[in-house]
Amino acid sequence: MTDASLNHLDDYSRYGRQMILDGFGLPGQVALQNASVVVVGAGGLGCPALQYLAASGIGRIGIVDHDVVELSNLQRQILHTEERVGMYKAESVAQALKALNSRLTIDAHTCALTSSNAPTLIAPYTVILDCTDNAPTRYLLSDTAVALGKPLVSGAAQKFDGQLCVYNLNNEGPCYRCIFPKPPTPENAGTCEETGILGAVTGVIGTLQAVEAIKIIAGLHDNKPSLLIYSALSVPPFRSIKLRSRRATCPACGQEGTRQGSIQETDYVAFCGGSRPDWEKLGM
Amino acid sequence: MTDASLNHLDDYSRYGRQMILDGFGLPGQVALQNASVVVVGAGGLGCPALQYLAASGIGRIGIVDHDVVELSNLQRQILHTEERVGMYKAESVAQALKALNSRLTIDAHTCALTSSNAPTLIAPYTVILDCTDNAPTRYLLSDTAVALGKPLVSGAAQKFDGQLCVYNLNNEGPCYRCIFPKPPTPENAGTCEETGILGAVTGVIGTLQAVEAIKIIAGLHDNKPSLLIYSALSVPPFRSIKLRSRRATCPACGQEGTRQGSIQETDYVAFCGGSRPDWEKLGM
Amino acid sequence: MSEDQILLKVEFGGGLELLFSNEKKHALTLPARVPADNSTSPAPSEKETKPLDIAYLIHWLRDHRLKERAELFMENDTVRPGILVLINDTDWELEGEGGYEIKDRDEIVFISTLHGG
Amino acid sequence: MSEDQILLKVEFGGGLELLFSNEKKHALTLPARVPADNSTSPAPSEKETKPLDIAYLIHWLRDHRLKERAELFMENDTVRPGILVLINDTDWELEGEGGYEIKDRDEIVFISTLHGG
Ligand SMILES: [Zn+2]
Ligand SMILES: [Zn+2]
């Protein structure tokens, strides 16, 4: 078996529909097979993203979520079932993905992502998907992506609205802190529970996250930083925004010498139950 | 039980996340509960659409598909499983939806949609979703939607591209024939099999079809005819097009007196194995 | 841009780009006045002219940009059935179809309707 | 539009519209020259002025359109952390941020970053 072929003969017919695509082909499918993606959050965004990643033939998928399935999740978290209410979301999702694609390697992590475990949990994967539901974890994931030098496909959804952005693309694009240098106060950062969410809106954004991850892995991404804004009730519903480059002064991704300030412990410590990872000590 | 309440007490917590949305609320949820949607095609577009419709609390869902699940479908048709390869798609999907929402009423039709059965198959439902993969059935469904006076949420996907449009909206908007008066020759109408498709692209369009159906049912649609064009590799990936009104001369939806020409039998007879429905005889 | 030239963007989608060197986006500069009979070879000066319109653009694209199988782009002097023409993100039927006079920096999109699912 | 007035579109998203009468889209007409100190009450004629810019617009929106809780929109003389300003679909940082001089028919969008999932 070489890098230039698929592991199983029937994979050629299984993935034939995408392998005949211009610019994708066998190399694209082999890239997916050899790639690994970690999805943080197996909720409204994570479910659709995971399902299309698994279907596409990606080799290894990590899932990080410490919550258990509740009945009120099923309005949008479409990989869970009524029977699996009470099960860890990461395990419920693993079960669903396994039924869809038994050759997929799945790592189900039922722990919370914290500043102490983030580097080791995330390091083994090629691409990171931020499918979380709170600001502190979003900053933690962005800092982790920068420290590990990996692209971060970030989705968010609230009410009828959604946002999609790839951070730290090619280790050249802006990170989350470049765009939003200062975290909002906790009062200003609502979660789904408080503000409501139309289920299919998370579906649109989560599925688009899968598309972005697949484009990155297959070498089809144009590498230009942009933010996609979705508003289900607006006309037009989508708007694409041209984003700034990296900020030279960014405390996370800025270069030594121009970098200003430091990542504040308090950004996520209060929420994530740990201190900032000691990247130097971890050798990253 | 009145029309103004949900059938089951725990539905209030199950759908609470969307019931607290501005402009949705209890009336929106009750409208979903009392609504019925028929999805024609349980493939790449139908799977994601069905899954979000079922999760949202829609009361009754019809599925029309005469195909059986094949391994090569699983790259994008994410409601099927490896174990269900060989099963009718309509039944495979019904099984998946039942696990997600046991209170949903599901009608699984394992027959092909033909010009003879279309009127009776489609008539019982509030909203029609076109998730098919061929031009003749698209014309048949549009003519059926016009004859029955129902909105048609139409999705299509090929390669890296997708299109989304609501036809016959409010019995005022244009129908498929208003926009595309003449069917292309069969040679010019490729199917997924021939042209390839990135799985997640069907996911994006199918999920957007669910959003449109939910907006229509909950009274959140602005009723303006528009076409959404999606191209996964383009920047920007989405484009919204302002569409014409109905054509007074449209053979399907034009008014008597101004209507020109007639729906040609040959438009779908050759493909669908039947003649044009006799709408008058059927009393529609 | 000189006054007798018009700069426009043309985009192809839904598979039509395959007929045009597989390039989706084309930046064009065309004369502001063109032969009324839509002939796109260098015009003898005595020919009757009209302002640059969509009908002429369609002929010009067929004659100068199309790489293969003209019948997949044109039929009976207009675009073939199943192709939608968009003028600045608006259905061309709302803008006068072939007779729409192209203005500087207009964006014209030709998309083929998709049938797959 | 007279020469000393500028017509612009302002849009709010990501929940910010809740602070502005729950209206996403606002069409505004503002003077082309405004007080340099961003004060938005009728200016005495001797005040120093500057061209209408984003910094002034932010103050004007707070003083004349905001319905509640100004601290959710502004902090330290600019938008609060977590709000992104877009000028004609481009990140305001690429356009000079608060100092960007608003032109007729510009479209300025204020969106709040979303955290839900
Ligand atoms: Zn940065
Ligand atoms: Zn019509």
Side-chain angles (χ1 to χ4, degrees), chain B residues 175 177-178 250 252-253:
Chain B
C175 80
R177 273 185 206 274
C178 290
C250 175
C253 72

Side-chain angles (χ1 to χ4, degrees), chain B residues 44-45 133-135 138 156-159 161 163 176 180 182 188-189 192 229 231 235 239 241-242 244 247, chain C residues 11 14 18 24-25 72 75 80-82 84 86 89-91 93-94 107 109 111-117:
Chain B
L45 299 167
D133 62 359
N134 65 85
R138 291 180 181 277
Q158 228 160 273
K159 299 190 179 180
D161 293 349
Q163 294 171 357
Y176 192 59
F180 301 107
K182 219 177 127 184
N188 296 344
C192 287
I229 305 178
S231 187
V235 180
R239 194 189 270 272
I241 308 303
K242 194 185 164 199
R244 68 192 76 176
R247 281 196 304 128
Chain C
E11 194 170 326
L18 290 177
K24 289 201 163 197
K25 299 187 184 194
L72 292 183
E75 189 179 308
R80 75 152 166 79
L84 191 60
L86 311 170
D89 286 342
T90 298
D91 185 349
E93 215 214 31
L94 296 170
E107 190 180 25
V109 178
I111 56 156
S112 181
T113 176
L114 302 178
H115 302 109

Side-chain angles (χ1 to χ4, degrees), chain A residues 210-222, chain B residues 198 231-234 237:
Chain A
V211 173
E212 290 306 293
I214 290 167
K215 279 162 63 183
I216 292 169
I217 294 165
L220 292 167
H221 205 287
D222 75 342
Chain B
L198 188 70
S231 187
L233 302 187
S234 289

Side-chain angles (χ1 to χ4, degrees), chain A residues 146 174-178 246-247 250-254:
Chain A
V146 169
C175 80
Y176 192 60
R177 273 183 206 275
C178 289
R246 281 190 169 189
R247 281 197 303 128
C250 175
C253 73

Side-chain angles (χ1 to χ4, degrees), chain B residues 42-59:
Chain B
L45 299 167
C47 285
L50 282 161
Q51 143 179 95
Y52 281 99
L53 291 171
S56 75
I58 279 178

Side-chain angles (χ1 to χ4, degrees), chain A residues 44-63:
Chain A
L45 298 167
C47 285
L50 282 161
Q51 140 180 97
Y52 282 99
L53 291 172
S56 75
I58 279 178
R60 177 183 207 108
I61 295 185
I63 308 158

